[in-house]
Amino acid sequence: MTVANYPVYDADRHFYEPPEAFLRHLPKKFQKEFQYVEVNGRTKLAVAGVLSDYIPNPTFEVVAAPGSHEKWYRGQNPEGLSLRECTGAPVPSQAAFHSGDAHLKVMDEQRIHAGLFIPTLASIIEERLAHKPDVIHALLQSVNRWTADECGFAHQGRLFPVPMINLSNVDAACEELDYLLAAGARVVGIRPAPVTGLTGGRSMGFEEFDPFWARINEAKIFVVMHVSDSGYDKIYQWWTAGGKGEFRPFEKDPFGEILDWMGRPIADSLGALICHGVFDRFPNVRVASLENGSGWLEPLLHRLNMTYHKMPKAFRRHPVETFRQHVYVAPFYEDPVEKVIELIGVERVLFGSDWPHPEGLAHPLDFFKDIESLSAEQTQRVMSTNLKELLEGVR
């Protein structure tokens, strides 16, 4: 395995939120909307009064071992085991799964210099509370405040938590962004999905949200769109007469897998930002796609190119060029990274291990083996320089 002689930057590391992350700063009037309850001797999560199995063990007392799903995602499953069967025995939670100091110690062991630190259970909130945007805002704000308490947003200049913002109420979103900027945040996250609202969804690229993008543009921080429950399981429901009920990301079937619940939301979200002119109005805005893979990338660029040639006056510049200037992509380890570089350039490709999630890499630097065909200069770009420059506000 290659050992880097430069600092490695990991764009996709995670923490598992303890219950207090949601509850410590949650106003009392909203506490009934997000409750940990006992069901047959097990702790479950009730969101808006509805029990959820989105995450089977929402307290994370035990979790799937880091990297335990790797062979399944690489397509190395000749026995045809289910994802659950591939998982193996759960492991007890570790301090590194939620503590910034402990996480840094593991990063030292893994020879990772710096990384983003992204919440896990928070991805349950927005889809299930779409009809209650004030509750969404309160819950995400609570997690952000807990993160500020426990870790800060640039911990020892190496660990950079990604606070989440919901845009349903743009004034509240801007107030939260102002707080986060003052607290030292280098990055913020928004869900790759239509912005929820009482009258339905709408594009985050609409001018309604320009106050938010103007602050991002001025601060020169970047925005992460990490895979989430983006609501696209509705497509599965259309085809299966209600299907399996609540969306559960780790319960797979062939038809649900080919519907691409992960690639479609990020492609649509980035397409909306481009077609609705965010990058034209705010040239400093940069967006990083994390844990969405890259299978959606070539089809999206093809559609943008074809649409431009059909309607060139609808764009200020070629939309593919806009994408290449403003969007960064972290491919999966099973993706052809060389192809991603061909499509958008090596300066826009990020390394993300997804540690400690089971679908990630148990040993993050194993990713070097997946990019052995790259030159030394390209490898350093992917493994270090690109994220380092994003965090420093370099364009």
Side-chain angles (χ1 to χ4, degrees), residues 100-169:
D101 287 330
H103 197 92
L104 280 178
K105 290 180 181 178
V106 171
M107 287 169 59
D108 289 337
E109 296 167 2
Q110 295 173 342
R111 290 173 289 182
I112 302 293
H113 172 70
L116 305 187
F117 204 32
I118 304 168
T120 299
L121 185 57
S123 61
I124 196 174
I125 292 170
E126 293 178 84
E127 184 60 24
R128 286 155 188 78
L129 289 162
H131 58 301
K132 296 183 176 182
D134 55 338
V135 182
I136 296 174
H137 176 75
L139 281 163
L140 294 182
Q141 185 180 70
S142 182
V143 176
N144 294 343
R145 299 301 182 275
W146 176 86
T147 304
D149 293 345
E150 299 295 324
C151 186
F153 295 106
H155 192 56
Q156 296 188 27
R158 296 179 56 200
L159 191 61
F160 301 92
V162 178
M164 299 301 298
I165 294 180
N166 176 267
L167 298 179
S168 296
N169 180 328

Side-chain angles (χ1 to χ4, degrees), residues 51-300:
L51 284 175
S52 172
D53 277 323
Y54 176 73
I55 299 292
N57 178 21
T59 61
F60 302 113
E61 293 171 348
V62 296
V63 297
S68 56
H69 294 169
E70 181 179 349
K71 287 187 177 181
W72 195 92
Y73 281 102
R74 288 190 185 275
Q76 299 171 358
N77 186 25
E79 300 89 355
L81 301 176
S82 70
L83 188 59
R84 187 179 295 275
E85 290 170 328
C86 290
T87 302
V91 298
S93 184
Q94 304 173 20
F97 295 171
H98 55 82
S99 162
D101 287 330
H103 197 92
L104 280 178
K105 290 180 181 178
V106 171
M107 287 169 59
D108 289 337
E109 296 167 2
Q110 295 173 342
R111 290 173 289 182
I112 302 293
H113 172 70
L116 305 187
F117 204 32
I118 304 168
T120 299
L121 185 57
S123 61
I124 196 174
I125 292 170
E126 293 178 84
E127 184 60 24
R128 286 155 188 78
L129 289 162
H131 58 301
K132 296 183 176 182
D134 55 338
V135 182
I136 296 174
H137 176 75
L139 281 163
L140 294 182
Q141 185 180 70
S142 182
V143 176
N144 294 343
R145 299 301 182 275
W146 176 86
T147 304
D149 293 345
E150 299 295 324
C151 186
F153 295 106
H155 192 56
Q156 296 188 27
R158 296 179 56 200
L159 191 61
F160 301 92
V162 178
M164 299 301 298
I165 294 180
N166 176 267
L167 298 179
S168 296
N169 180 328
V170 70
D171 292 333
C174 288
E175 289 177 7
E176 183 67 2
L177 179 56
D178 289 342
Y179 161 80
L180 294 168
L181 291 172
R186 307 280 185 89
V187 55
V188 297
I190 61 174
R191 184 176 69 137
V195 179
T196 56
L198 298 179
T199 58
R202 67 263 200 219
S203 166
M204 75 285 287
F206 285 171
E207 292 184 9
E208 169 189 355
F209 303 108
D210 277 4
F212 172 82
W213 295 114
R215 283 168 166 81
I216 297 291
N217 187 74
E218 181 180 1
K220 296 183 180 179
I221 67 167
F222 66 106
V223 171
V224 157
M225 287 189 174
H226 187 281
V227 69
S228 183
D229 181 356
S230 294
Y232 276 59
D233 193 59
K234 295 184 182 74
I235 299 170
Y236 182 89
Q237 308 288 347
W238 292 343
W239 284 92
T240 57
K244 60 186 182 301
E246 182 188 23
F247 172 60
R248 300 176 180 89
F250 297 114
E251 292 187 9
K252 307 289 188 180
D253 68 57
F255 183 63
E257 195 70 5
I258 66 167
L259 285 177
D260 197 12
W261 64 270
M262 185 180 299
R264 294 178 71 157
I266 187 61
D268 292 351
S269 297
L270 294 172
L273 290 175
I274 291 170
C275 291
H276 298 147
V278 166
F279 300 119
D280 295 323
R281 299 193 298 276
F282 304 106
N284 290 329
V285 170
R286 297 157 300 159
V287 176
S289 166
L290 302 184
E291 206 178 330
N292 298 294
S294 63
W296 50 271
L297 178 58
E298 187 169 16
L300 173 61

Side-chain angles (χ1 to χ4, degrees), residues 8 31 36 44-45 50 96 101 111 129 153 194 202-203 214 224 285 293 311-312 317-318 324 330 337 349 363 380 393:
V8 173
Q31 290 179 2
Y36 292 82
K44 292 292 184 180
L45 192 62
V50 178
D101 287 330
R111 290 173 289 182
L129 289 162
F153 295 106
R202 67 263 200 219
S203 166
V224 157
V285 170
M311 298 183 287
R317 54 181 167 165
H318 199 299
R324 289 172 176 159
V337 179
V349 181
H363 306 286
Q380 185 168 348

